[in-house]
Amino acid sequence: MTNSLPDHAEIVVIGGGIIGCSVAYHLARDHGVDVVLLERSKLTGGSTWHAAGLVGQLRSSASITQVLRYSVDLYKRLAAETGLETGWKMTGCLRLAMTDQRWTEYQRLATTAQSFGLDMHLISPAEVKRMWPLMRTDDLVGASFLPTDGQASPSDIAQSLAKGARMHGARIFEDAAVTGFDIADGRVTAVHTNRGTITCEKVVNCAGQWARQVGEKAGVLVPLQPVKHQYIITQPIAGITTDLPTLRDPDRLTYFKEEVGGLVMGGYEPNPMAWTLGDVPDDFTFQLFDDDWEHFEQHIAAATARIPAMETAGVKRMINGPESFTPDGNFILGQAPERANFFVGAGFNAFGIASGGGAGWVLAQWVASGEAPMDLWVVDIRRFSGLHRDRQWVCERTLEAYAKHYTVAYPHEEYLSGRPRIVSPLYDRLKNLGAVFGSKLGWERANWFAGPGEAAKDVYAMGRQNWFEPVGREHQAVRQAAGLFDQSSFAKFEFVGKDAARALSYICANTVDKPPGQLTYTQLLNSRGGIECDLTVARLEEDRFYIVTGTGFRTHDAAWITSHIPSGMDARLNDITERFGTLSLMGPRSRDILERVTSSDLGNSAFPFGTIRPIECDVDGASVRLLALRVTYVGELGWELHAPIDALADLFDALMAAGSPLGLKPAGYRAIESLRLEKGYRAWGADITPNDTPMEAGLGWAVKLKSGTDFLGRVALEKIAVEPLKKRLVAFTCDDPTVTLLGRETILRDGAQVGYLASGGYGYTLGKPIGLGYVRSSAGVDADFVRSGHYELVVAQARVSTQAHLEPLYDPAGQRVKA
Ligand SMILES: Cc1cc2nc3c(=O)[nH]c(=O)nc-3n(C[C@H](O)[C@H](O)[C@H](O)COP(=O)(O)OP(=O)(O)OC[C@H]3O[C@@H](n4cnc5c(N)ncnc54)[C@H](O)[C@@H]3O)c2cc1C
């Protein structure tokens, strides 16, 4: 190790915990770049040195599961490369179930594992007892067992990665604290440290719980919250052997692993304790908090009830350390939306050891190429928004996520904390109409409407939930008359400039350079041809476009568009989300209803499908000018009405008054989900992701390959277009209406696994459960292949018969949309 810092490095990695070491290792090993890692104190001195070291792999996202599997694979073989052991032991992991709900959760998890290629099986209490003789099992329904999970030594992994990084040419400096950045033209150009300045091309912020304050110095938001997390290490206990599986007992909120003949035991309490809302002290290194037995007592009681031998075991040590948690329980990875050359890997929610290897692997690829190597949306830093600057809000939501770590995960569950946070002007009206809200990026959005005598709240269950019937009523109203949806939370942008059309043409896969008044549904592709965004572009004027995308994709899509404007072009994106409210009026009577409040011509020739028009509405005696977009996500005639936010409430009242006699009903997001599944409309983040190309997704018709125009992803698509598709999105229906489809169910074709569902739900018009999922085959998947198979779905471990469909299940010719 040399002592003086270099003047320049291609990439500076900040933080020498497991994540920084892993990023430096992978950057040096796989990308041969010039990397410098700076650690304020000594390697592992943040959260890494005191982690318990459990390593699990299964998550609800296929990509994140792949990331965690990579960690395990790396920890197995790293010592052979570096000569430094990682302490990896493949003991397997047991998860105990004490209730039927938990058991159903595990049946679904085991199916998810199967879908993702992991072998998880469910075992009886007697088998649990054989594997873990000291455990009390008489209160168990059973357990899940994932044999390839295990445990490792956190500091040893980090040191082994650091050694590997050095072996591949990375330079690591301890006692080198980053104190600030130079920024020019929106990019970081240099990193200041207590030992001098390093100019650089890229920066990776892996500063653990300090990542928020390090990010702030570069104007980058990293919304994490340090929380106190405790575990104890007992003296050796007779009967505890080194090969015992790690153990999670979520119904008792605790976890265990063997350590030197004793046990590590910790837990996730329902009343977690945030550390600080201010800055984390710079000198908090290799430090812990005082033991907090009063707070930990709840876990002792639960643990001794499970493992009675713990009652008499001496406690060797308590660890009470800080770890950074996030508002949704997922870590934070990727390219900062605020600075194109600033990357983040932080907020690991007490699974940073399990994630470390894989997170470093994918983040290094992201840093090196500027593009995420796979669908990493659930951990993508661009899933946050300005809302997350509110530390108090982030803290509350984070503590709720922490407290839910081990609770049964019911489908469709909503967070409760920090609500309501952002409301549309219709909030009170909708509430009075029985709305039950969900929260998306801080916005309250009506999920469904309770009728008279029905409780206006979600009652969660593993099967059908209490909203099943009310959502069915909304669905039918939309199919038979009309529904009115408040979609004001849609992200809305205006894209302007002399070169706006040229720039957008390059960024969008579909033809957007059309005359003013035309609308285009388009995907935005990465260099692999994968779908990065899925949105609507409307041309308002020669040099002005209006772009609408999903609530949750606001930061992500804006960052993608902005960062891909070809250099030198005069084009810019302005976020105007809050300026307009959106009411979607959808259903066969929507024209009749809208005609009652506007004199504008809504006929097919004046206002055909796929166009945008300003219209004047007569609202409460005043004339309101709004933008009407003739589009649909539910498969019916309809308009999205984008009105000045101040006029939204009056517009809503006018439409409800005009429409109620014609059968208009307020409707919510759960009805949209059912309606769009019947039409086979794709949802970004589930059915279409950066892993999927438009051809695979059945969206080849929306790509301008034949146009000769250059666009992002074109080169990749040209190759893909001439090869047989290896996967293809297919719709599935089940004849048994009681089957609950949620996504991730395994698809079997002639008894062999060919994929899994990307999304699932229920179609009320069909009266059937519906799923969308990719059917895969290395030999190619064409229509004949899809049609010639006999299909089953594995749903919570049970085989269910299903039919595969390539056409939309509802109105395949699209006549209703164009009515
Ligand atoms: C009690 C406890 C038990 C846990 N058990 C497990 C477990 O069983 N399994 C699991 O997977 N995870 C577990 N974790 C989580 C795990 O410890 C963390 O997720 C992981 O260590 C995070 O690594 P990191 O590299 O992001 O952060 P850190 O290890 O905190 O590293 C960040 C580094 O950045 C440095 N730094 C900060 N600011 C600067 C600056 N300005 N300049 C230079 N350097 C800077 C810090 O000094 C620090 O070394 C546990 C955590 C706790 C608290």
Side-chain angles (χ1 to χ4, degrees):
M1 219 183 289
T2 51
N3 254 338
S4 56
L5 301 190
D7 296 333
H8 179 81
E10 206 173 329
I11 299 174
V12 174
V13 177
I14 305 166
I18 189 167
I19 305 302
C21 292
S22 180
V23 171
Y25 168 78
H26 287 95
L27 277 171
R29 189 195 72 177
D30 299 344
H31 305 283
V33 284
D34 165 33
V35 188
V36 160
L37 184 150
L38 304 176
E39 163 53 47
R40 174 203 301 286
S41 67
K42 303 290 178 211
L43 296 183
T44 76
S47 291
T48 298
W49 71 278
H50 56 63
L54 284 83
V55 176
Q57 301 168 89
L58 182 62
R59 306 287 294 182
S60 57
S61 144
S63 299
I64 304 309
T65 302
Q66 193 185 339
V67 164
L68 301 192
R69 288 179 75 174
Y70 174 91
S71 292
V72 164
D73 191 43
L74 179 68
Y75 300 162
K76 270 187 219 163
R77 55 188 164 78
L78 193 61
E81 183 192 348
T82 65
L84 289 186
E85 291 297 336
T86 59
W88 168 253
K89 263 198 307 185
M90 196 177 88
T91 52
C93 171
L94 275 172
R95 276 176 186 268
L96 309 180
M98 290 175 63
T99 65
D100 291 341
Q101 289 94 321
R102 182 72 72 182
W103 192 242
T104 305
E105 184 184 29
Y106 288 1
Q107 288 173 317
R108 289 183 179 147
L109 273 181
T111 296
T112 300
Q114 176 183 357
S115 293
F116 296 171
L118 275 175
D119 173 32
M120 173 189 260
H121 37 271
L122 302 189
I123 60 177
S124 67
E127 286 169 283
V128 175
K129 187 82 184 166
R130 266 199 298 281
M131 291 168 91
W132 243 92
L134 289 193
M135 190 195 304
R136 187 185 145 199
T137 55
D138 57 344
D139 57 355
L140 295 183
V141 181
S144 72
F145 183 59
L146 213 158
T148 53
D149 279 353
Q151 60 185 71
S153 160
S155 298
D156 292 347
I157 302 172
Q159 293 292 356
S160 194
L161 286 165
K163 181 159 180 216
R166 287 193 200 100
M167 286 165 61
H168 292 288
R171 289 169 290 171
I172 296 180
F173 297 90
E174 296 182 312
D175 304 311
V178 171
T179 53
F181 302 95
D182 280 346
I183 307 215
D185 293 334
R187 296 173 73 85
V188 173
T189 54
V191 175
H192 295 293
T193 79
N194 56 340
R195 290 162 56 185
T197 296
I198 307 177
T199 58
C200 62
E201 271 92 75
K202 293 174 185 172
V203 171
V204 195
N205 174 6
C206 301
Q209 58 187 333
W210 295 267
R212 176 192 268 275
Q213 58 216 57
V214 168
E216 252 168 27
K217 293 183 204 302
V220 169
L221 174 67
V222 185
L224 51 76
Q225 172 61 46
V227 179
K228 297 179 176 181
H229 188 67
Q230 301 194 89
Y231 66 83
I232 55 166
I233 308 168
T234 73
Q235 300 288 0
I237 300 173
I240 295 295
T241 51
T242 55
D243 57 350
L244 276 182
T246 59
L247 177 64
R248 290 175 170 89
D249 190 3
D251 293 317
R252 294 186 188 273
L253 308 179
T254 46
Y255 61 82
F256 306 81
K257 84 171 230 247
E258 182 275 338
E259 186 153 306
V260 213
L263 286 175
V264 158
M265 185 278 285
Y268 286 85
E269 51 282 353
N271 54 340
M273 291 164 61
W275 181 17
T276 171
L277 275 184
D279 281 356
V280 175
D282 287 344
D283 58 356
F284 194 91
T285 184
F286 290 108
Q287 282 188 57
L288 295 172
F289 304 117
D290 292 341
D291 298 351
D292 187 346
W293 285 101
E294 205 182 313
H295 197 65
F296 197 72
E297 183 57 37
Q298 50 190 319
H299 296 314
I300 300 270
T304 47
R306 177 62 59 215
I307 300 163
M310 281 199 60
E311 200 142 8
T312 49
V315 173
K316 203 155 56 177
R317 187 163 188 204
M318 172 178 265
I319 301 280
N320 184 3
E323 160 69 342
S324 33
F325 287 81
T326 64
D328 60 6
N330 268 320
F331 51 87
I332 305 174
L333 213 69
Q335 191 166 17
E338 301 91 342
R339 304 250 171 268
N341 66 340
F342 193 99
F343 294 80
V344 177
F348 276 86
N349 293 277
F351 66 106
I353 307 308
S355 318
W361 171 58
V362 289
L363 185 53
Q365 293 177 65
W366 203 333
V367 173
S369 73
E371 214 172 80
M374 58 175 81
D375 169 29
L376 295 170
W377 171 237
V378 293
V379 296
D380 194 318
I381 189 167
R382 294 167 297 182
R383 71 190 188 276
F384 301 112
S385 70
L387 156 76
H388 295 92
R389 294 193 188 281
D390 180 342
R391 283 189 157 187
Q392 187 61 45
W393 190 91
V394 167
C395 180
E396 273 177 47
R397 186 54 70 84
T398 301
L399 292 182
E400 185 186 3
Y402 178 109
K404 281 167 87 152
H405 186 83
Y406 274 157
T407 58
V408 172
Y410 287 102
H412 312 288
E413 221 178 329
E414 292 280 347
Y415 284 103
L416 299 174
S417 61
R419 296 178 54 188
R421 182 65 169 71
I422 310 173
V423 297
S424 102
L426 305 182
Y427 180 72
D428 290 329
R429 279 175 173 73
L430 300 183
K431 204 168 183 178
N432 288 336
L433 288 166
V436 179
F437 294 90
S439 114
K440 188 83 161 194
L441 214 62
W443 285 82
E444 290 295 311
R445 309 191 313 174
N447 274 342
W448 60 281
F449 290 81
E454 289 169 344
K457 63 172 197 165
D458 282 323
V459 179
Y460 297 121
M462 294 313 265
R464 274 188 188 171
Q465 301 181 353
N466 67 322
W467 47 266
F468 184 82
E469 296 296 335
V471 170
R473 291 195 302 264
E474 295 165 33
H475 174 118
Q476 298 302 355
V478 175
R479 289 276 182 255
Q480 289 158 18
L484 194 56
F485 302 89
D486 179 10
Q487 299 196 277
S488 298
S489 61
F490 269 157
K492 308 164 204 93
F493 308 102
E494 122 190 301
F495 192 73
V496 292
K498 184 166 61 62
D499 301 316
R502 265 202 314 142
L504 263 193
S505 280
Y506 173 68
I507 293 168
C508 298
N510 204 348
T511 306
V512 293
D513 192 358
K514 294 175 181 164
Q518 297 292 307
L519 266 179
T520 312
Y521 166 60
T522 184
Q523 282 75 47
L524 279 48
L525 309 180
N526 58 35
S527 64
R528 305 185 303 277
I531 302 172
E532 290 284 347
C533 315
D534 174 77
L535 40 76
T536 308
V537 174
R539 189 166 203 170
L540 300 178
E541 293 162 25
E542 271 311 298
D543 56 358
R544 198 154 72 92
F545 291 81
Y546 185 59
I547 300 177
V548 184
T549 190
T551 310
F553 314 139
R554 180 176 185 176
T555 309
H556 174 273
D557 290 7
W560 182 269
I561 294 170
T562 307
S563 64
H564 287 92
I565 297 173
S567 68
M569 284 202 193
D570 172 22
R572 59 205 172 274
L573 188 82
N574 302 320
D575 189 330
I576 52 170
T577 299
E578 277 77 16
R579 221 183 276 169
F580 294 101
T582 304
L583 282 173
S584 298
L585 174 65
M586 297 285 153
R589 303 303 303 270
S590 54
R591 181 179 285 119
D592 304 333
I593 296 166
L594 194 52
E595 273 171 354
R596 293 184 178 200
V597 297
T598 181
S599 53
S600 302
D601 187 348
L602 302 176
N604 262 331
S605 45
F607 205 151
F609 183 72
T611 57
I612 180 169
R613 303 274 182 268
I615 63 170
E616 301 281 339
C617 287
D618 180 14
V619 170
D620 198 22
S623 174
V624 172
R625 190 176 161 86
L626 50 87
L627 277 178
L629 285 68
R630 179 127 182 237
V631 282
T632 179
Y633 194 51
V634 299
E636 301 291 344
L637 170 71
W639 283 266
E640 263 178 30
L641 306 171
H642 293 237
I645 194 81
D646 295 343
L648 197 73
D650 288 341
L651 177 65
F652 178 82
D653 293 344
L655 288 168
M656 285 306 292
S660 296
L662 303 183
L664 177 68
K665 297 266 184 271
Y669 276 84
R670 295 213 174 117
I672 293 180
E673 181 62 9
S674 162
L675 293 156
R676 73 99 192 166
L677 278 171
E678 285 186 340
K679 266 304 276 184
Y681 290 147
R682 280 73 168 132
W684 192 83
D687 315 316
I688 47 178
T689 74
N691 291 349
D692 315 305
T693 67
M695 280 76 174
E696 294 162 341
L699 295 172
W701 57 269
V703 177
K704 55 178 178 245
L705 258 192
K706 291 197 185 107
S707 71
T709 320
D710 187 25
F711 64 91
L712 265 171
R714 175 173 195 114
V715 176
L717 286 197
E718 277 170 352
K719 278 203 202 109
I720 291 163
V722 295
E723 288 168 1
L725 290 177
K726 301 282 191 299
K727 63 175 193 188
R728 192 170 169 142
L729 195 68
V730 175
F732 293 90
T733 53
C734 300
D735 288 334
D736 177 355
T738 65
V739 169
T740 302
L741 297 182
L742 299 166
R744 296 179 292 282
E745 292 81 2
T746 312
I747 305 167
L748 303 178
R749 179 184 181 277
D750 298 336
Q753 185 168 334
V754 288
Y756 55 89
L757 294 188
S759 55
Y762 186 82
Y764 294 87
T765 302
L766 263 64
K768 290 181 181 182
I770 303 172
L772 296 178
Y774 288 91
V775 169
R776 296 156 202 261
S777 166
S778 51
V781 182
D782 60 12
D784 282 349
F785 180 87
V786 173
R787 290 202 180 99
S788 60
H790 167 74
Y791 291 90
E792 290 163 294
L793 295 175
V794 183
V795 181
Q797 289 210 305
R799 282 183 172 209
V800 175
S801 100
T802 187
Q803 289 79 45
H805 313 262
L806 285 167
E807 300 293 318
L809 303 166
Y810 176 77
D811 186 27
Q815 281 161 344
R816 297 178 71 87
V817 171
K818 294 185 179 142

